[in-house]
Amino acid sequence: MLITALFFIAGYMLIALEHVVKIDKAATALFIGVVLWVIVAHTGTDFSETLMSLKEHFEEIAEILFFLLGAMTIVELIDIHNGFEIILRVIKTRSMLVLLWVLCILTFFLSAVLDNLTTTIVMMAILRKFLTSKSDLWYFAGFIIIAANAGGAWSPIGDVTTIMLWNGGQVSTNTIITEVFLPSLVCLLVPLLIASYQFKGKSIEAEVPSTPKIQQISPKESNFILLLGVGLLLMVPVFKAITHLPPFLGMLFSLCLLWLITEILHKNKPIELKHHLSVAATVQRIDTPSILFFLGILLAVAAIETNGSLEFMGSALETTFKDFHITNTLLGLLSSLIDNVPLVAGAMGMYSMETFPQDHEFWTFLAYCAGTGGSVLVIGSAAGVAAMGILKIDFLWYLRRIAWLAMIGYFSGILVFILIN
């Protein structure tokens, strides 16, 4: 257990120091993911059980990766059809402060009905339409991560962990919304108010050099693809609720519908243009290293979960701290380093419904902490990992510029949660 923990920490340090060691974080993540499983497999007591665990975890990881691939393809397809140009026409402000507030509030509510991962992918595409400076892009992306995670925490379908608690019967829809909404909103508003002093009076410096517009695409077609694409993304949680099948199938179903409709829409266009607007060409624009980075991180976390490290940490927290407010607060902070899914799964296994019945404060507080605590580090949530991959955000830059704001927001929300309960 000690060897895997040390190797895991060393790998995370290499990812954090990517710009210093000059090694792509995707390569490092894949390396630690694979090597950790080799160590776990050959130091455990039962090789067959470890192999079975690997297959189970990989099935879960594959679902997330195909969900991510489908979402990124839909967003890229909207972008290639100039669909996001309408956002530029609607949001006409030149104030960076107004833009920051508008995009964060939009992200907060959109992630509650969509999910924080898909919302982040959409917002990263929109950010590129407004900003040119790398530092501004990264700073806005940091707040998008905070907003997406805060928005997903108060909705039963906004985050993987809330979906787990909702499906498991630990929380009901009405309770998680009424008890977690205000703390989640405060978690976003407090950092926004602090940042407002930095952007007060600052204007967007220059027009973003947009990709060459395709003249054969009419504004009606662009608007149609935008509305259709967003509508199909919003349909994913509906698909899950109706069919009770995993979300990745809903995302792939939405992708294939958009694929079929665009094929019909462009069937009479010139071959070169038709190919350029097709899903086949769009997939080539997807940032594959980001998906491989995601794969490596999830494999590494699954490995240390399999060898009992996460269960050991959970038991240590339970033994040391008797107050679940302290335990859940620490679990939320721990989720900024380790994926919150196994942490919540561990808590669900450790505490029965007899100890804490449905809608007990323990479960709603766990939903808030696990959902928002991951914002403290850029690799602490699916939204953060996606933004890091798409915009190449530096781990140490995020640690210096965003982490303290996310931390203040996190504890502000906790204070509000305790006061209203």
Side-chain angles (χ1 to χ4, degrees):
M1 189 180 293
L2 179 61
I3 296 174
T4 55
L6 291 175
F7 193 82
F8 181 81
I9 294 170
Y12 260 68
M13 290 300 296
L14 283 175
I15 292 172
L17 298 171
E18 177 191 17
H19 288 73
V20 177
V21 298
K22 307 297 182 183
I23 299 176
D24 192 287
K25 61 181 178 295
T28 304
L30 277 175
F31 180 76
I32 63 172
V34 173
V35 173
L36 278 173
W37 273 106
V38 172
I39 296 172
V40 170
H42 292 280
T43 56
T45 55
D46 193 324
F47 181 82
S48 60
E49 285 187 6
T50 304
L51 186 61
M52 186 179 297
S53 177
L54 171 59
K55 291 179 179 179
E56 290 175 356
H57 280 293
F58 194 77
E59 181 181 337
E60 297 173 0
I61 293 170
E63 290 183 7
I64 297 174
L65 295 183
F66 277 109
F67 182 96
L68 179 64
L69 181 63
M72 292 176 74
T73 304
I74 290 175
V75 171
E76 285 289 344
L77 200 60
I78 294 172
D79 192 30
I80 204 67
H81 283 80
N82 305 324
F84 292 118
E85 298 297 324
I86 190 175
I87 307 295
L88 293 175
R89 296 195 294 270
V90 173
I91 307 177
K92 296 181 179 179
T93 182
R94 303 298 301 168
S95 168
M96 292 193 72
L97 179 58
V98 173
L99 181 64
L100 180 65
W101 276 80
V102 169
L103 293 182
C104 284
I105 296 300
L106 177 63
T107 301
F108 180 80
F109 286 100
L110 186 59
S111 64
V113 295
L114 195 50
D115 69 73
N116 51 10
L117 174 58
T118 311
T119 301
T120 301
I121 295 170
V122 172
M123 298 309 294
M124 292 304 105
I126 293 175
L127 275 182
R128 286 173 160 171
K129 299 295 180 183
F130 286 95
L131 304 170
T132 53
S133 166
K134 182 175 74 173
S135 60
D136 289 339
L137 265 175
W138 284 4
Y139 200 86
F140 271 60
F143 272 88
I144 293 298
I145 293 168
I146 295 173
N149 288 333
W154 62 271
S155 167
I157 58 172
D159 184 85
V160 177
T161 54
T162 58
I163 291 173
M164 289 167 59
L165 293 169
W166 183 46
N167 286 340
Q170 280 79 8
V171 295
S172 62
T173 301
N174 182 63
T175 301
I176 193 171
I177 292 175
T178 54
E179 293 191 10
V180 184
F181 173 78
L182 189 57
S184 297
L185 184 62
V186 170
C187 179
L188 169 63
L189 292 183
V190 171
L192 268 180
L193 288 170
I194 296 173
S196 295
Y197 290 98
Q198 177 179 346
F199 287 104
K200 189 175 182 180
K202 190 175 181 181
S203 301
I204 299 174
E205 295 179 358
E207 295 289 341
V208 178
S210 58
T211 53
K213 295 183 180 179
I214 303 168
Q215 300 301 322
Q216 293 90 333
I217 298 295
S218 67
K220 286 185 178 180
E221 287 178 323
S222 297
N223 295 341
F224 171 70
I225 294 299
L226 172 64
L227 294 174
L228 178 63
V230 173
L232 289 171
L233 288 173
L234 292 172
M235 194 184 76
V236 174
V238 178
F239 178 92
K240 180 185 181 300
I242 294 173
T243 65
H244 304 289
L245 292 171
F248 84 96
L249 276 178
M251 185 61 72
L252 293 180
F253 182 64
S254 293
L255 174 60
C256 72
L257 284 180
L258 188 59
W259 193 339
L260 290 170
I261 292 171
T262 52
E263 288 287 324
I264 295 170
L265 186 66
H266 304 312
K267 65 179 181 180
N268 294 325
K269 289 185 171 65
I271 295 177
E272 290 186 4
L273 177 62
K274 181 180 177 182
H275 174 72
H276 183 68
L277 297 171
S278 68
V279 170
T282 303
V283 170
Q284 298 176 16
R285 291 162 51 97
I286 299 298
D287 189 4
T288 307
S290 298
I291 296 176
L292 293 176
F293 172 63
F294 225 119
L295 172 60
I297 289 292
L298 293 176
L299 278 174
V301 172
I304 64 169
E305 180 189 0
T306 298
N307 80 335
S309 296
L310 294 185
E311 184 180 351
F312 175 79
M313 284 188 289
S315 300
L317 287 175
E318 169 64 14
T319 304
T320 307
F321 305 101
K322 300 301 181 182
D323 187 347
F324 70 80
H325 290 98
I326 298 175
T327 304
N328 284 357
T329 299
L330 293 175
L331 281 176
L333 293 176
L334 189 59
S335 73
S336 66
L337 182 63
I338 301 170
D339 185 49
N340 56 7
V341 173
L343 290 177
V344 172
M348 291 170 67
M350 288 172 59
Y351 302 100
S352 67
M353 296 283 285
E354 294 179 359
T355 306
F356 297 116
Q358 185 183 47
D359 292 334
H360 189 278
E361 184 184 344
F362 171 83
W363 299 116
T364 51
F365 190 53
L366 178 63
Y368 168 80
C369 293
T372 60
S375 302
V376 175
L377 295 179
V378 70
I379 55 176
S381 65
V385 173
M388 185 183 190
I390 294 170
L391 296 183
K392 313 301 180 189
I393 300 173
D394 179 39
F395 179 93
L396 294 179
W397 180 95
Y398 188 97
L399 188 64
R400 292 192 305 269
R401 300 295 301 276
I402 304 295
W404 67 278
L405 290 166
M407 184 83 76
I408 291 174
Y410 176 67
F411 282 106
S412 299
I414 287 175
L415 180 61
V416 170
F417 185 94
I418 293 173
L419 289 175
I420 65 177
N421 284 278

